[in-house]
Amino acid sequence: MILANAFCLFFFLDETLRSLASPSSPQGPELQGWRPPVDCVRANELCAAESNCSSRYRTLRQCLAGRDRNTMLANKECQAALEVLQESPLYDCRCKRAMKKELQCLQIYWSIHLGLTEGEEFYEASPYEPVTSRLSDIFRLASIFSGTGADPVVSVKSNHCLDAAKACNLNENCKKLRSSYISICNREISPTERCNRRKCHKALRQFFDRVPSEYTYRMLFCSCQDQACAERRRQTILPSCSYEDKEKPNCLDLRSVCRTDHLCRSRLADFHANCRASYQTLTSCPADNYQACLGSYAGMIGFDMTPNYVDSSPTGIVVSPWCSCRGSGNLEEECEKFLRDFTENPCLRNAIQAFGNGTDVNLSPKSPTFQATQASRVEKTPSLPDDLSDSTSLGTSVITTCTSIQLTTNIIPGSNKVIKSNSGTYIACSSVVLTTAFILMLPLAL
């Protein structure tokens, strides 16, 4: 009898360890509706091949034309079309920055998502696929950066921004596209018009989209020890043409202009998604990813919302679009909040400094997971093993492989579930429940 009990317990523990070792995946009944996103051009092709999806998509586009959200949802035909499309690949589709059909992809994305929000949101979801690469990947590709591997004395005296320009000239593609935007942005049109800003912006977009980031980042985010270096860094995008103007427009007006263009709107949304200050991470960046923030910042250059360094100070890093909050009226608080996302953003500042120093956050590898809405900060709760007593009273010990360490309830043994924590949030776990009585019986059975 004792041997039989021991065998059962060993079998149970073996199954437990197997369930813990297997990676959690979105296979539970609560996640059956989740689909990996495809790009919106491909999603549009899939929808067009299905008559029901195709007709509903045409209906929804007609519903969104010239109507606000409430008017659209009051129409039963529009509601039905939306419900069908929510189950299609179009609803979850995303785009890749600088992809071949980027504008077409973004037009498809916004044709659905623009009419689904409650008015104009302060932060909009990014239409781009999440960035999985990190700064350390850029460092491995770059041959040199910011004095790493060099004599510290020489490194301090070096003008890293000048070194970055020289490195660009050694790469044929970088040299060609840099020379192109310098020529266009410096070309005076008339005594009253210093340059063709539209053509200058286009040339800058081509440079930052087509030249590898190990070159563009070094020019844009080089570290400086003196004012001459910092001024070269500020002049990287030829600000007299691409950035500055006679007067500074209101920031909210500038944002409204940006959001009338699908490309500008998407790059701004992507910047907020990847650079919005987070107080739940080590670096103040979402997912502690400096690379995602710097890429989103560089992606806004060449649009109405083009940001740049506000001065030539080598000690303080402050960037901003060319705008102010004058004339904001009763929207001044919203305007100041928008502007602070550039001028007082710890994530962006830390990311720029990290690249200039040649450092990145040392994080353990994370397997890609579906994106979920980030929960608000919750109070810490003690972990279960620290709370277990040596008494023989029946209790429950939960062994989980979760990305969260919060206490959980409603756990189904041996299953991959989305379960509800005592904080009210939902987390994905692979878990099993062992009773304290079983744990205590194991030595006796042996």
Side-chain angles (χ1 to χ4, degrees):
M1 185 65 182
I2 293 177
L3 289 176
N5 287 338
F7 176 79
C8 290
L9 285 171
F10 276 120
F11 178 78
F12 184 72
L13 289 173
D14 180 67
E15 291 300 312
T16 298
L17 294 175
R18 287 175 183 271
S19 67
L20 290 173
S22 61
S24 58
S25 57
Q27 296 175 346
E30 291 86 353
L31 296 176
Q32 287 178 355
W34 179 81
R35 298 178 299 272
V38 296
D39 79 75
C40 296
V41 176
R42 176 58 181 157
N44 188 45
E45 293 172 354
L46 295 173
C47 182
E50 186 182 337
S51 59
N52 188 33
C53 179
S54 179
S55 63
R56 297 295 187 179
Y57 182 42
R58 286 195 300 270
T59 299
L60 184 64
R61 294 189 70 170
Q62 293 172 356
C63 291
L64 293 175
R67 303 187 189 185
D68 59 35
R69 183 177 186 274
N70 292 331
T71 303
M72 184 200 76
L73 293 181
N75 185 299
K76 291 183 179 180
E77 190 175 0
C78 296
Q79 256 188 324
L82 178 59
E83 289 173 1
V84 170
L85 289 176
Q86 284 178 328
E87 300 300 321
S88 76
L90 274 173
Y91 192 75
D92 297 317
C93 71
R94 292 294 183 270
C95 303
K96 294 180 180 179
R97 212 186 92 188
M99 64 185 289
K100 187 175 182 180
K101 298 181 179 179
E102 181 182 3
L103 181 57
Q104 180 185 351
C105 184
L106 294 173
Q107 288 171 339
I108 295 170
Y109 175 89
W110 290 113
S111 69
I112 293 179
H113 291 270
L114 271 183
L116 303 181
T117 56
E118 296 280 0
E120 188 172 89
E121 296 182 330
F122 191 88
Y123 295 117
E124 294 182 319
S126 173
Y128 292 107
E129 293 181 359
V131 176
T132 56
S133 59
R134 308 193 74 85
L135 276 189
S136 51
D137 301 322
I138 304 296
F139 297 154
R140 280 192 292 270
L141 290 172
S143 57
I144 55 173
F145 56 88
S146 190
T148 296
D151 188 323
V153 177
V154 176
S155 177
V156 169
K157 294 181 179 180
S158 296
N159 185 327
H160 297 308
C161 296
L162 179 60
D163 294 339
K166 292 178 180 178
C168 177
N169 287 335
L170 295 176
N171 178 273
E172 184 178 349
N173 187 46
C174 186
K175 180 181 179 180
K176 176 184 175 181
L177 291 174
R178 179 170 176 258
S179 298
S180 175
Y181 85 72
I182 289 176
S183 174
I184 293 172
C185 297
N186 276 331
R187 190 178 302 155
E188 187 176 297
I189 304 300
S190 68
T192 58
E193 191 176 2
R194 67 180 69 171
C195 68
N196 188 321
R197 175 171 287 196
R198 182 181 62 82
K199 289 184 178 180
C200 176
H201 278 175
K202 182 178 180 181
L204 279 168
R205 291 199 300 270
Q206 290 177 339
F207 176 77
F208 285 102
D209 283 348
R210 297 179 184 179
V211 176
S213 51
E214 58 262 32
Y215 295 103
T216 60
Y217 283 17
R218 289 183 59 197
M219 296 176 62
L220 203 57
F221 308 122
C222 43
S223 62
C224 291
Q225 302 294 328
D226 56 56
Q227 190 171 353
C229 174
E231 176 60 18
R232 174 176 280 274
R233 180 175 61 188
R234 193 185 74 85
Q235 289 290 337
T236 297
I237 65 170
L238 281 298
S240 61
C241 179
S242 67
Y243 178 67
E244 299 164 0
D245 210 341
K246 295 177 181 178
E247 296 182 359
K248 284 188 175 183
N250 180 271
C251 291
L252 297 183
D253 292 341
L254 189 63
R255 182 184 67 176
S256 296
V257 171
C258 175
R259 285 181 170 178
T260 61
D261 177 80
H262 289 313
L263 271 171
C264 187
R265 183 177 205 135
S266 301
R267 299 296 177 92
L268 178 60
D270 197 54
F271 170 77
H272 282 145
N274 292 316
C275 292
R276 183 181 175 185
S278 171
Y279 299 100
Q280 298 179 344
T281 59
L282 179 67
T283 62
S284 297
C285 286
D288 285 312
N289 194 334
Y290 286 147
Q291 156 68 354
C293 179
L294 294 183
S296 297
Y297 175 91
M300 286 196 300
I301 295 174
F303 294 94
D304 292 318
M305 196 58 70
T306 295
N308 196 29
Y309 299 92
V310 299
D311 55 37
S312 302
S313 170
T315 55
I317 296 177
V318 181
V319 299
S320 172
W322 184 261
C323 65
S324 72
C325 287
R326 293 177 184 173
S328 298
N330 58 358
L331 295 177
E332 185 172 358
E333 185 176 345
E334 180 180 347
C335 182
E336 293 289 350
K337 179 183 177 183
F338 175 82
L339 191 56
R340 282 196 301 270
D341 280 336
F342 294 89
T343 59
E344 301 176 23
N345 188 326
C347 167
L348 179 59
R349 183 177 61 251
N350 292 342
I352 293 174
Q353 289 175 338
F355 183 84
N357 296 331
T359 58
D360 194 9
V361 185
N362 185 17
L363 298 173
S364 57
K366 296 180 180 180
S367 57
T369 57
F370 66 94
Q371 287 197 329
T373 302
Q374 190 175 24
S376 57
R377 182 182 294 182
V378 294
E379 294 182 1
K380 293 182 180 179
T381 53
S383 56
L384 274 173
D386 294 335
D387 295 335
L388 290 178
S389 65
D390 293 330
S391 65
T392 56
S393 61
L394 290 177
T396 303
S397 171
V398 183
I399 302 177
T400 66
T401 54
C402 308
T403 57
S404 170
I405 59 170
Q406 297 167 346
L407 294 180
T408 56
T409 58
N410 303 328
I411 304 179
I412 301 177
S415 64
N416 292 328
K417 296 288 184 181
V418 171
I419 54 179
K420 188 173 183 181
S421 71
N422 63 349
S423 64
T425 59
Y426 290 83
I427 52 177
C429 301
S430 172
S431 55
V432 63
V433 178
L434 301 177
T435 64
T436 306
F438 283 159
I439 299 296
L440 295 175
M441 285 173 59
L442 183 58
L444 297 177
L446 295 175

